[in-house]
Amino acid sequence: MHFTHEDIARTHMSPGARPGAEALFALGHLERSARQNRGVGRWVSHARAWVAARPSRHPGLQQALRMRDELLPLLLAERAPERDPAAPEEVRRALAALAEFQKACVTPYTASIRELLDETRHCYSDMVARLGLAATLERLQYNAKWESDRLTVDDRTDREVFLDGQGLELVPSVFLSGVPRLYAWRHGGAGRTATERAAGRPVYVMVFPVCPHGLAATALVKDNQRPVKPLPQLLGRTRAAVLERLTRPQSTSELSTALRISATTASEHTSVLRSSGLVSTTRHGGSVRHEVTALGTLILNSPTEPPRTWCGDCAERRTEEDRSKGLVA
């Protein structure tokens, strides 16, 4: 991939998930798990049971897998061609089966998936701040290489891509494993940016795995089985919400509006949190701003469960790379 200065400026991490694309990657992950026993986990057991109990859905799901290269640009672009009567029947049938699979086997794990994706985005955003974009892009794959204005990544195809100022969107995936995948499509429809509609150039998206070894899915827990966070139990639900909001300085009225509580109630909660050393209050002229203290931040960030060790290889690789760059002792 060839990057211009504009491409470097416009390359960014996707701010949100692509549920449809993630469901298709999940279906592929389920297919691979049938051929290997490593890292099966609770999610695979749940998905296998759902699919096994619905043999009538197998043709549609197999069709989705066969058409994955055709469907993924549609799913990454967040279109809904299954509702478009002009879309080919086989596309609509495959997407309808995939949507049912998504609802039953991916949606119940939404919180865990979002947590893993948020952690990955934070990790790579931190890398950009510490190492720069080139070194961060190299870390998307073991043998990825940045040279001058080019990034070479092995996605099992032989091609040369010129981004031409469009930039690159990076999308992490819990269910994808192995190598990153590059997708491109052209669009000019409603809901796209004016630049995209005017230029009619391809949009480039690179999907990369949270764990290339395919073990991220073993960390998934159903939303209704996740451990209860202790902070609301300790402080009360509203007071815990106030503390979480104050990771950014806010006034009493802003707190009141955001949490839909009265200004008097917001003031009472900040007063208790301030007396406990969890919040500090500063006055600037006629305004008062509240902000969480270092102690409050420590309490907010305390883990609710043991650190994930679902992939020792990934953790070891990151530690070794940081050590080689002098980032850790």
Side-chain angles (χ1 to χ4, degrees):
M1 280 178 285
H2 294 259
F3 286 74
T4 65
H5 294 300
E6 289 82 2
D7 294 315
I8 293 173
R10 291 175 179 169
T11 294
H12 64 284
M13 191 69 63
S14 171
R18 301 291 208 283
E22 197 69 290
L24 188 49
F25 289 129
L27 192 59
H29 179 75
L30 186 63
E31 182 190 44
R32 289 190 300 274
S33 73
R35 303 193 299 265
Q36 59 190 31
N37 294 320
R38 184 187 181 196
V40 172
R42 288 169 291 188
W43 180 83
V44 166
S45 298
H46 167 74
R48 278 180 180 172
W50 185 88
V51 172
R54 293 160 179 82
S56 63
R57 306 296 190 271
H58 295 181
L61 295 175
Q62 289 297 323
Q63 179 78 354
L65 285 172
R66 287 193 296 270
M67 298 179 65
R68 73 184 84 194
D69 289 339
E70 180 180 347
L71 298 180
L72 276 166
L74 304 178
L75 297 168
L76 289 166
E78 299 181 311
R79 304 175 192 173
E82 73 277 10
R83 302 191 192 98
D84 182 0
E89 175 62 25
E90 61 178 5
V91 170
R92 290 190 284 120
R93 188 165 52 245
L95 288 174
L98 182 65
E100 190 175 359
F101 173 80
Q102 176 184 333
K103 182 179 180 180
C105 299
V106 178
T107 302
Y109 297 84
T110 297
S112 285
I113 291 171
R114 182 173 59 243
E115 196 172 80
L116 284 169
L117 295 179
D118 285 347
E119 287 177 1
T120 302
R121 290 189 195 95
H122 176 77
C123 175
Y124 278 93
S125 296
D126 182 60
M127 286 184 198
V128 172
R130 293 184 295 127
L131 308 175
L133 179 62
T136 301
L137 290 173
E138 285 186 325
R139 289 191 173 200
L140 294 177
Q141 186 185 1
Y142 290 116
N143 60 350
K145 185 176 181 181
W146 178 275
E147 204 170 36
S148 184
D149 62 346
R150 292 173 296 170
L151 177 70
T152 303
V153 177
D154 179 12
D155 74 343
R156 298 172 182 165
T157 59
D158 186 10
R159 53 182 165 161
E160 195 169 16
V161 175
F162 293 84
L163 300 179
D164 291 332
Q166 299 300 294
L168 180 66
E169 183 173 12
L170 303 171
V171 178
S173 168
V174 170
F175 293 101
L176 179 66
S177 61
V179 299
R181 311 289 172 84
L182 180 67
Y183 299 96
W185 63 87
R186 298 176 184 272
H187 53 55
R192 316 325 302 178
T193 67
T195 301
E196 291 167 345
R197 290 196 300 270
R201 295 176 181 174
V203 175
Y204 294 100
V205 171
M206 177 170 282
V207 184
F208 67 97
V210 168
C211 170
H213 311 99
L215 296 181
T218 63
L220 298 180
V221 179
K222 279 187 177 180
D223 292 355
N224 60 8
Q225 296 174 351
R226 288 167 59 83
V228 178
K229 289 188 176 182
L231 195 58
Q233 294 178 320
L234 177 67
L235 300 178
R237 185 176 301 175
T238 304
R239 193 164 295 164
V242 169
L243 186 63
E244 289 175 347
R245 291 289 305 183
L246 293 180
T247 52
R248 294 183 179 179
Q250 294 192 32
S251 67
T252 303
S253 61
E254 287 172 333
L255 275 175
S256 171
T257 301
L259 299 178
R260 297 182 179 179
I261 57 178
S262 68
T264 301
T265 300
S267 180
E268 290 173 352
H269 284 306
T270 56
S271 177
V272 172
L273 292 170
R274 183 170 56 251
S275 65
S276 302
L278 304 180
V279 164
S280 63
T281 300
T282 55
R283 184 177 295 276
H284 298 281
S287 64
V288 172
R289 308 288 285 178
H290 311 287
E291 184 176 10
V292 68
T293 63
L295 176 60
T297 300
L298 185 63
I299 289 176
L300 283 173
N301 294 335
S302 59
T304 60
E305 53 186 294
R308 291 191 179 91
T309 56
W310 38 268
C311 187
D313 291 342
C314 285
E316 183 178 351
R317 175 197 170 203
R318 286 179 180 173
T319 300
E320 285 300 318
E321 288 178 340
D322 284 347
R323 186 177 290 116
S324 70
K325 296 178 182 296
L327 299 174
V328 297

